Amino acid sequence: MTTIGLISDTHDYLDEAVYRHFANCDEIWHAGDFGSASIAEALQQCKPLRGVYGNIDGQDIRSQFPETLVWTCEQVKIVMTHIGGYPPKYNPASKALIQEHQPQLFISGHSHILKVMYDDKQHCLHMNPGAAGKQGWHKTRTLIRFVIDGREMNHCEVIELGAR
C-alpha cells in the first residue's frame, strides 16, 4: 500500500499546511508548474518526490524533471504530464501517450481545475489536483491524497488549503 500526495501549480508558493496533509504519505507527486527549484527542494526534504515540469518552469526545474513521466506504482501504470486535458478532451500529445502506454492512471495539472474522473473509453482514471499556489484564477487552493494498493486506487481525498 502506497499513500500519495498529489500537488500541482504551486507557482513558487508552498503552503505550510502541505507538510501536515502529506505527513503520512509515502511519496509526493507534482504535476508541474513548481515555479522554482526551492519548491522542489522543500518537497524533496519532506518525502520522495516525482514530478514533471510545467509551462512556467525554468531551466532549474526542467533540468531536474522531465516533461512526461511513465512509471508503475505497485501494479498501477501511471502517465503524468503537465498539460494534458481531461476525458474526453485530451490534447493530441496526451491522447497519444495514453494510447501508447495504456495507463490505469493519467495525471495532469495546468488548468487549475481539480478533477477526478474515470475515462470509460480509455479505462483510465484521470486526476488533476487543481492548483496549490496563489497564482491564477482559481478561488480555492487544492491537493489530492490517495492510496494505491496493488491494482486498486482508493481512499481519494480532496484537500482544500483555503482561498487563493
Side-chain angles (χ1 to χ4, degrees):
M1 187 165 71
T2 307
T3 303
I4 308 301
L6 181 59
I7 189 170
S8 184
D9 295 276
T10 45
H11 290 261
D12 206 23
Y13 173 79
L14 189 60
D15 191 312
E16 289 294 319
V18 170
Y19 299 113
R20 180 171 33 89
H21 291 297
F22 289 173
N24 294 324
C25 293
D26 298 299
E27 297 181 8
I28 297 172
W29 299 349
H30 196 298
D33 278 359
F34 287 86
S36 71
S38 64
I39 300 297
E41 291 163 7
L43 292 171
Q44 286 168 325
Q45 289 176 3
C46 179
K47 300 287 178 179
L49 175 67
R50 293 181 191 265
V52 294
Y53 69 76
N55 57 296
I56 66 120
D57 290 320
Q59 193 56 38
D60 58 342
I61 292 296
R62 290 172 188 242
S63 65
Q64 294 182 59
F65 299 97
E67 181 177 19
T68 300
L69 265 180
V70 179
W71 79 100
T72 300
C73 179
E74 298 208 16
Q75 297 168 34
V76 174
K77 189 177 218 180
I78 301 129
V79 171
M80 182 165 62
T81 193
H82 182 60
I83 302 175
Y86 56 90
K89 299 178 181 180
Y90 300 107
N91 67 31
S94 294
K95 188 178 255 185
L97 283 168
I98 292 167
Q99 289 173 347
E100 177 185 354
H101 296 288
Q102 299 181 351
Q104 288 78 48
L105 176 59
F106 176 73
I107 298 170
S108 64
H110 185 64
S111 70
H112 293 216
I113 300 170
L114 186 140
K115 285 189 185 219
V116 178
M117 57 193 301
Y118 190 74
D119 184 340
D120 288 319
K121 185 176 179 185
Q122 301 297 332
H123 308 289
C124 178
L125 181 64
H126 170 265
M127 285 188 178
N128 182 325
K134 292 188 172 186
Q135 297 286 354
W137 57 270
H138 60 285
K139 296 192 185 305
T140 303
R141 296 173 294 112
T142 55
L143 311 167
I144 295 175
R145 187 172 50 214
F146 67 102
V147 172
I148 295 178
D149 190 2
R151 291 187 177 115
E152 302 295 318
M153 294 168 278
N154 50 45
H155 303 291
C156 184
E157 300 171 85
V158 170
I159 299 163
E160 292 186 353
L161 296 171
R164 177 178 58 85

